[in-house]
Amino acid sequence: MTAAGHRYEVTESTLGYQGRIIAVRRDLVRMPDGDVSQRDVVVHPGAVGVVALDDAGQVVLVHQYRHPVGGPLWELPAGILDVPGEPASVAAARELAEEAALRAGRYDLLVDVWSSPGMTNEAYRVFLARDLSEIPAAERYVPEHEEAEMSVARFDLDEAVARVLRGEITNAMAVVGLLAAARARADDFAGLRPLDAPWPGRPAHNG
């Protein structure tokens, strides 16, 4: 029910498409004027990302090919929540290890985001990772598919923010995470939420 008191009742829901990661659901929803309107929803399992900030004030970014946009993007180490019940912070640590070959001695919750709520239920949670250390070569994840060509680089956080403002970093999670990290640093990292803070946006089937 909304603040105005209307309950957007779903009168019918059908599955239009089921893919490897996403699905498309067609809902018929009763509007405040009584009309019923179709809303197509891209159902997504959710995702996590990591702003990994080292002792020199640099952030770790990955350069990865993204087929839907036809080219590579600078991104945070990130991944979907594809292990049912796995805590988001554990998933974030796994992605940092797999994509950047790094461990972190400290994690803080940075920001929660709905990626595009007009058409999908995709929610992602971004963590701040500090006290970084490299994973020994013999223990590193062996990448495949697009990740096999993925490169990793470090940028001063201020430079990364400047690249956002110049339109050179356009991945939404990276934009949000980098700007949030810069603000958090300016506040001396005060007020960051605990790792297990409630996350109403996380799809229920993923814990």
Side-chain angles (χ1 to χ4, degrees), residues 18-110:
Q18 178 65 62
R20 185 175 66 87
I21 295 174
I22 66 163
V24 178
R25 191 182 73 225
R26 296 191 179 99
D27 291 346
L28 297 182
V29 185
R30 192 173 304 281
M31 298 294 152
D33 61 3
D35 285 347
V36 174
S37 184
Q38 179 175 312
R39 294 292 180 267
D40 296 334
V41 179
V42 177
V43 181
H44 189 281
V48 291
V50 183
V51 177
L53 182 65
D54 67 19
D55 293 340
Q58 294 184 314
V59 291
V60 178
L61 298 179
V62 299
H63 201 228
Q64 182 174 358
Y65 174 78
R66 291 301 188 185
H67 184 70
V69 300
L73 297 175
W74 284 109
E75 303 181 348
L76 304 178
I80 61 173
L81 291 165
D82 54 359
V83 179
E86 182 179 48
S89 58
V90 174
R94 174 167 50 81
E95 294 296 340
L96 182 62
E98 291 180 358
E99 296 193 357
L102 293 171
R103 295 190 180 102
R106 175 171 181 171
Y107 281 92
D108 293 287
L109 174 53
L110 194 56

Side-chain angles (χ1 to χ4, degrees), residues 53-198:
L53 182 65
D54 67 19
D55 293 340
Q58 294 184 314
V59 291
V60 178
L61 298 179
V62 299
H63 201 228
Q64 182 174 358
Y65 174 78
R66 291 301 188 185
H67 184 70
V69 300
L73 297 175
W74 284 109
E75 303 181 348
L76 304 178
I80 61 173
L81 291 165
D82 54 359
V83 179
E86 182 179 48
S89 58
V90 174
R94 174 167 50 81
E95 294 296 340
L96 182 62
E98 291 180 358
E99 296 193 357
L102 293 171
R103 295 190 180 102
R106 175 171 181 171
Y107 281 92
D108 293 287
L109 174 53
L110 194 56
V111 68
D112 294 329
V113 179
W114 294 105
S115 68
S116 185
M119 52 83 69
T120 180
N121 72 340
E122 180 188 10
Y124 55 82
R125 172 163 275 192
V126 182
F127 295 89
L128 176 67
R130 289 177 283 172
D131 299 334
L132 305 179
S133 61
E134 292 192 2
I135 295 175
E139 301 176 19
R140 293 180 183 179
Y141 171 78
V142 179
E144 57 184 7
H145 305 303
E146 292 95 338
E147 292 182 355
E149 291 189 334
M150 183 171 64
S151 60
V152 181
R154 299 194 186 200
F155 298 90
D156 183 85
L157 178 56
D158 290 336
E159 171 59 21
V161 169
R163 286 174 178 249
V164 168
L165 299 179
R166 292 198 299 264
E168 297 170 10
I169 296 176
T170 55
N171 171 275
M173 183 187 289
V175 169
V176 171
L178 292 169
L179 295 178
R183 177 55 189 262
R185 185 177 65 175
D187 292 339
D188 199 25
F189 304 108
L192 294 178
R193 289 172 292 158
L195 298 183
D196 59 352

